[in-house]
Amino acid sequence: MPSQKDLKSRALDKDLDRIGFIGDAAEAMGRKLSGYGLAVIFLALCAATAASQIVSSDVSDVLILIAASVTSGYMALNIGANDVANNVGPAVGARVVSVTGALIIAAVCESAGALLAGSEVISTVSGDILSPHDVIDNTSFMLAMLTALAASALWINLSTFIGAPVSTTHSIIGGVLGAGIAVSGFSAINWTTMSAIAASWVISPVLGGAIAAALMAFINARVIYNENKIEAACFWLPVLLGIMGAAFTGYMLLRTSALLEFLPGPLAAALPIGIGLAVWSFYRRVVSAQTMDLEDETVSLRVLFTIPLLITAGLLSFAHGANDVANAIAPLAAIVFSQSTELTDLHYWFLGSLNTDIPLWVKFVGAFGISAGLLLFGRRLITVVSKKITKLSPVRAFCIALAAAITVLGASGLGLPVSSTHIALGAVFGVGFYREWYFNRHVVKGNETKPGKFIRNREERRRLRLVRRSNLMTIIAAWIVTVPSAAMLAAGMFQLVTLAFS
């Protein structure tokens, strides 16, 4: 039987444990509140910046611009908090970088993509879906854009809170759609543009999944199940990175079209090839240095694919910033132009000038807002992409990030506001389903792989599943409800805001 002294000692230990738990909880709460505090400071800076740029003497215009700037910053914070998992989740899931390191990489690359290559998609979201030409007056158009922005931001905030990686692109498109219908009816919407955007939403994740599966199949055949894995990796990794460098250089030349005017045609064509060859030559030396102490085993590929994975994750973050910054600042850009242009000229202003004349402060709101959102609140959804869909390795994560980056960059170059969420998750599912098919069709023993009989037993096939279907269905359900939910929320908010300004 324990003595009185032992009983007192145990009671003291329990009290100390409770105090320690309370201290940890207080520390966690303090970190959370400091994040919210920094977010509020950022939104206050957005309001102050907008106030310094006011050109209109109309009080309603001033209020709308300040409200739009704050709401745009709030939307950017939500995009960073919700979409960061798509860019760096595979790298975190493959355990090649910590969450903090991944967030820093994403923040830098997101800002660069938004500032350097974000204009084309901005024009599609802000002027091509709801045409200013079909709205009664400038004030109605500005209120429609403001409520579209607010509704989509609220929807994304709710989705982030419950842990659903919804599409921020779907949210803003749904918001513009609902506000446009509320202000001028169904005829005000450019349904041709909407059809093209909707088609891209279906095609892009399938394309991302197909490219990722094709890359996985190629690396399986040429590297993983090759008798000389290290030698094969030394040959193919520099080639893949060289192609990626050439493609990215060509993309940047197209996006910075003003630079092409100063470059002779042959030089503009040769520059991507030269950059690609330079990347190939440099990375051959890097891989050769890495392989000096590696054995010719599958586990060694983890080391070789770490740097390419980090590079592709950064490239995907750049592509995301270029494409998704429009979701945060396109309505704000539309409102800025509306206050300095007559309604009759506004439509033509959008067509001719929006891509080149977006104010720098508007771009900064989106770029820094996305980076702040992912640094302050971006950890929550990383586990969904990195762990809860399919098991990832550096090789699989490399295929996912490269496929998603290629697809997003291509869509951004065409001015299509595709969902980077769809594409990145499509690539994750593509790799997972390809591996399921492969292991159902092949017998793998060590370095050898032989065709086998397709497993027909349902229970045995279920045990071999490498993709969690429950997460797939949850994500698809969240995607389906996003557009109508954001549209209805925007329509209702437009009616309320119109009453306030009337």
Side-chain angles (χ1 to χ4, degrees):
M1 187 172 180
S3 64
Q4 190 71 18
K5 185 177 180 181
D6 290 337
L7 291 174
K8 288 182 178 180
S9 178
R10 291 178 186 177
L12 179 61
D13 288 340
K14 289 181 179 179
D15 290 338
L16 290 174
D17 288 341
R18 291 191 188 98
I19 293 171
F21 176 78
I22 293 172
D24 292 340
E27 184 180 354
M29 181 62 71
R31 287 197 301 267
K32 190 172 183 180
L33 291 176
S34 66
Y36 287 124
L38 291 173
V40 170
I41 292 173
F42 169 74
L43 296 180
L45 289 174
C46 290
T49 303
S52 68
Q53 302 295 321
I54 290 171
V55 296
S56 174
S57 58
D58 191 302
V59 176
S60 62
D61 285 356
V62 172
L63 293 176
I64 290 174
L65 181 60
I66 293 176
S69 179
V70 173
T71 309
S72 181
Y74 172 55
M75 177 68 166
L77 289 171
N78 279 291
I79 291 173
N82 193 282
D83 276 11
V84 62
N86 309 325
N87 312 328
V88 296
V92 175
R95 301 189 303 279
V96 302
V97 65
S98 67
V99 174
T100 301
L103 290 172
I104 294 172
I105 292 171
V108 173
C109 296
E110 288 272 353
S111 298
L115 292 172
L116 298 176
S119 299
E120 189 69 33
V121 180
I122 291 173
S123 66
T124 302
V125 175
S126 60
D128 293 349
I129 299 171
L130 173 62
S131 172
H133 186 69
D134 295 324
V135 180
I136 301 172
D137 52 50
N138 271 13
T139 300
S140 297
F141 179 75
M142 289 189 290
L143 290 178
M145 285 293 165
L146 175 60
T147 52
L149 195 56
S152 57
L154 288 171
W155 175 254
I156 296 168
N157 200 340
L158 174 62
S159 303
T160 304
F161 179 75
I162 64 176
V166 299
S167 167
T168 58
T169 306
H170 282 200
S171 299
I172 190 62
I173 297 297
V176 172
L177 187 67
I181 293 173
V183 68
S184 295
F186 286 88
S187 60
I189 303 300
N190 187 334
W191 294 108
T192 302
T193 300
M194 273 302 304
S195 299
I197 293 171
S200 72
W201 288 346
V202 177
I203 295 170
S204 57
V206 175
L207 184 60
I211 294 174
L215 284 170
M216 190 74 247
F218 177 82
I219 292 176
N220 265 359
R222 298 293 182 180
V223 180
I224 295 178
Y225 298 121
N226 192 301
E227 291 184 0
N228 301 309
K229 303 178 190 298
I230 300 299
E231 182 180 342
C234 286
F235 178 81
W236 285 112
L237 268 178
V239 170
L240 289 173
L241 288 179
I243 293 173
M244 184 174 68
F248 183 69
T249 303
Y251 165 81
M252 286 304 299
L253 284 175
L254 290 174
R255 296 311 302 270
T256 55
S257 55
L259 182 61
L260 293 176
E261 298 176 2
F262 300 98
L263 290 176
L267 180 58
L271 188 59
I273 298 174
I275 294 294
L277 289 174
V279 172
W280 168 78
S281 177
F282 173 76
Y283 202 70
R284 281 185 67 193
R285 300 191 189 95
V286 173
V287 174
S288 296
Q290 286 182 309
T291 56
M292 293 180 63
D293 299 322
L294 294 179
E295 296 182 4
D296 195 17
E297 297 179 356
T298 303
V299 69
S300 299
L301 296 177
R302 179 182 183 86
V303 177
L304 297 181
F305 275 86
T306 295
I307 295 177
L309 174 55
L310 293 177
I311 293 172
T312 50
L315 179 60
L316 178 56
S317 295
F318 183 97
H320 175 263
N323 192 277
D324 280 26
V325 69
N327 301 339
I329 67 172
L332 175 60
I335 290 171
V336 170
F337 287 124
S338 298
Q339 293 192 353
S340 59
T341 309
E342 293 296 327
L343 183 65
T344 54
D345 299 326
L346 186 58
H347 179 66
Y348 302 103
W349 179 277
F350 274 106
L351 294 178
S353 303
L354 185 57
N355 289 343
T356 57
D357 290 348
I358 297 173
L360 191 59
W361 72 270
V362 173
K363 290 185 178 181
F364 273 109
V365 168
F368 290 146
I370 291 175
S371 297
L374 66 89
L375 288 172
L376 296 175
F377 311 111
R379 297 172 181 267
R380 183 179 179 86
L381 290 179
I382 285 182
T383 54
V384 175
V385 176
S386 63
K387 297 179 181 179
K388 292 186 178 180
I389 296 174
T390 189
K391 188 176 180 180
L392 296 175
S393 69
V395 178
R396 296 168 210 149
F398 172 75
C399 295
I400 291 165
L402 183 56
I406 291 171
T407 309
V408 175
L409 284 173
S412 183
L414 295 173
L416 290 174
V418 296
S419 168
S420 59
T421 305
H422 280 202
I423 294 170
L425 292 178
V428 173
F429 284 116
V431 166
F433 283 126
Y434 165 76
R435 293 181 64 236
E436 276 191 13
W437 172 85
Y438 190 86
F439 288 118
N440 269 309
R441 291 281 187 175
H442 296 79
V443 178
V444 179
K445 291 184 178 180
N447 292 340
E448 296 183 358
T449 175
K450 299 179 180 179
K453 292 183 178 180
F454 183 73
I455 300 173
R456 298 186 179 278
N457 184 281
R458 182 176 296 179
E459 291 301 320
E460 189 174 351
R461 286 173 61 187
R462 184 171 294 175
R463 284 196 298 271
L464 289 175
R465 283 182 177 177
L466 302 175
V467 177
R468 296 180 177 90
R469 267 62 170 179
S470 59
N471 291 96
L472 173 62
M473 299 311 297
T474 301
I475 291 169
I476 290 176
W479 289 350
I480 290 173
V481 302
T482 291
V483 172
S485 299
M488 289 188 290
L489 184 59
M493 292 181 70
F494 177 80
Q495 299 297 337
L496 292 175
V497 171
T498 302
L499 290 175
F501 275 85
S502 61

